[in-house]
Amino acid sequence: MTAYPAWTPASRPGIIPLHPLSFGTILGRSFTALRQNPRVLLGFALVVQTVAYLVVLVAIGGVAFATFARLDTVRPGSEEFETILVGSIAITAIASLVLGLAAGALGVLVQAIVVTEVTHAAVAEKLRLGQLWQRVKPVAWRLIGYTALILVVIVGALAIVALVIVSLALVAVPVAVILGILIVLGMIPLAWWLTIKLLLVPAVILMEQATIGRAIGRSWRLTKGRFWPALGVIFLISLVFGAVGQVISIPFTFLSSGLTTIISPTGDPAPAVIIGTIVTLLLAQVLTLLIQAVAVVVTSTATALIYIDARMRREGLDLDLMAYVEQRDAGATGLGDPYRAHIGREIAPRAAAPMPGAAPYPPAAGYPGAGYTAPGATYAPPAGYAPAAAPAPPTSEAPAAPTPDPAPESPAAPAPTQWAAPGTSGSEAPRE
């Protein structure tokens, strides 16, 4: 008897097709991924950033009020007044730096949550916030340490540049000005280049549990050959949200000016200050926070998609993801993390699939699913296969005519019967 395979439903589609992605796919899905899990992707990011912003604002204001309030107890212009003023400025600046770093650490964790969510959404998995945090928690301090390291390097580099320019300005001011302009112009492309080359470090730390040094090396290799597409995606996202921020700030400026003119036509500064503070600071800051939250989510989503695409092209990650999805939807349990299956595997470079949903790529050599061709895929013979030899082409000489088979011999015709009429002799010949 023939055993027929059991029917299994089609695999659930994720937010991206499981093949190397095009530039438009990465850019478009970076925005549309918000619909996959808006409670986590947008709600969590917005709440965390709003709370962090308010806490930092209130804390810095409290520290500034407590330190500068001491100036009212001393006589202005005295030596003690100057000492308290300098100390108040220093304490407020230090508090601002520390609280800013704390808010930055929360921002890094928000980005980590978003990257983890997107990588699971790629295989049609929707996790709760607690499950996402359990995956981020083991490497949370590593992510914060990497961010602190980048901040220290940036501050150190800027301090060295400032020291060189100031030292040069003591000798020749025009030369120091020209050098400062050249350094600023040169730092713009350098900053973008380093941003893209190190773009995938957080994703590598999250998905591969890598150390900071190894993650930097992995990001450097994965972005090789994909620098310009990654730069284009990140630059366009930054440009879009920068333009949106400018467009939103313009109406508030006109609204503040109009209300000031209506309420205080005589130019009294008190109403103008109140209206300007309420309108331009409070309402504008609320919208700015919303835009920043969405920008963080979209940028983090783009980073995750660039990471997935780079590994698909260099390491065949799409093969591991497809195998994982098929086995999971078939009912298999205890499956490992597909993002850690073949880290560092090298395959031949591939381009994006020409048709959405198709997977025209043969499995990599040594992959367990070698020989399998997905529906709609272009079949490729397995390694070691050699087609049969083609027949030799005909020559110019005419082929010899085949020898015809001899015709079968027909049986001999019977001899004619000699008939004679009764009464005649048999020797007479018959009449014609």
Side-chain angles (χ1 to χ4, degrees):
M1 296 180 64
T2 303
Y4 292 96
W7 178 84
T8 56
S11 300
R12 293 171 289 170
I15 62 171
I16 57 171
L18 297 182
H19 57 68
L21 308 176
S22 63
F23 177 86
T25 300
I26 297 176
L27 184 61
R29 298 301 169 88
S30 299
F31 288 89
T32 59
L34 288 170
R35 299 178 299 180
Q36 169 71 17
N37 198 349
R39 181 177 299 179
V40 171
L41 291 182
L42 186 57
F44 172 73
L46 180 60
V47 170
V48 170
Q49 292 190 76
T50 302
V51 171
Y53 178 82
L54 293 177
V55 169
V56 170
L57 186 63
V58 172
I60 293 176
V63 170
F65 178 79
T67 55
F68 284 96
R70 296 178 56 193
L71 294 175
D72 297 334
T73 62
V74 296
R75 183 173 57 85
S78 62
E79 184 178 354
E80 188 178 2
F81 183 89
E82 299 295 334
T83 303
I84 294 176
L85 178 61
V86 173
S88 299
I89 295 175
I91 293 175
T92 304
I94 294 174
S96 301
L97 179 60
V98 172
L99 292 173
L101 292 177
L106 288 178
V108 171
L109 297 181
V110 168
Q111 297 175 28
I113 292 290
V114 173
V115 170
T116 306
E117 162 62 24
V118 172
T119 53
H120 282 277
V123 290
E125 292 179 350
K126 187 176 181 180
L127 305 184
R128 297 188 300 273
L129 182 59
Q131 295 173 314
L132 294 173
W133 172 246
Q134 291 301 321
R135 287 162 171 76
V136 174
K137 184 179 178 180
V139 294
W141 286 110
R142 207 174 299 171
L143 292 169
I144 295 174
Y146 168 72
T147 305
L149 176 64
I150 294 298
L151 181 62
V152 169
V153 171
I154 292 175
V155 172
L158 292 178
I160 294 174
V161 171
L163 181 61
V164 170
I165 293 177
V166 170
S167 301
L168 188 59
L170 298 176
V171 179
V173 175
V175 177
V177 172
I178 295 175
L179 180 61
I181 295 175
L182 293 177
I183 290 177
V184 170
L185 293 178
M187 288 177 65
I188 295 175
L190 177 63
W192 275 107
W193 181 69
L194 290 176
T195 298
I196 299 304
K197 296 301 291 184
L198 301 177
L199 180 67
L200 305 182
V201 171
V204 172
I205 292 175
L206 278 168
M207 305 312 301
E208 303 176 15
Q209 305 288 307
T211 60
I212 294 177
R214 185 174 181 273
I216 292 174
R218 286 275 294 158
S219 177
W220 210 273
R221 289 190 296 270
L222 289 175
T223 53
K224 184 179 180 181
R226 302 297 300 165
F227 176 84
W228 293 110
L231 175 62
V233 170
I234 300 301
F235 178 78
L236 286 178
I237 291 175
S238 302
L239 188 64
V240 167
F241 284 102
V244 170
Q246 292 296 324
V247 169
I248 288 178
S249 65
I250 292 175
F252 281 99
T253 303
F254 285 110
L255 179 61
S256 176
S257 301
L259 291 177
T260 302
T261 303
I262 294 173
I263 297 176
S264 180
T266 60
D268 188 2
V273 172
I274 296 175
I275 294 172
T277 302
I278 294 176
V279 175
T280 60
L281 290 182
L282 295 182
L283 296 181
Q285 286 300 317
V286 168
L287 291 179
T288 301
L289 280 174
L290 178 60
I291 294 173
Q292 289 177 352
V294 177
V296 168
V297 172
V298 173
T299 305
S300 302
T301 302
T303 300
L305 296 182
I306 292 171
Y307 167 77
I308 295 174
D309 174 66
R311 287 198 59 188
M312 283 180 176
R313 295 174 184 272
R314 296 183 63 88
E315 302 175 358
L317 177 63
D318 50 334
L319 306 176
D320 299 319
L321 297 181
M322 285 189 290
Y324 172 82
V325 170
E326 292 173 357
Q327 296 174 21
R328 179 200 63 196
D329 293 349
T333 58
L335 298 176
D337 188 352
Y339 291 97
R340 303 182 65 184
H342 296 93
I343 297 174
R345 176 177 60 187
E346 293 290 339
I347 64 171
R350 299 183 297 172
M355 295 179 61
Y361 307 112
Y367 183 71
Y372 169 75
T373 304
T378 303
Y379 172 76
Y385 172 79
T395 59
S396 58
E397 297 180 0
T403 304
D405 296 334
E409 295 181 0
S410 57
T417 302
Q418 299 293 329
W419 178 82
T424 61
S425 62
S427 60
E428 293 182 358
R431 297 182 180 181
E432 298 289 337

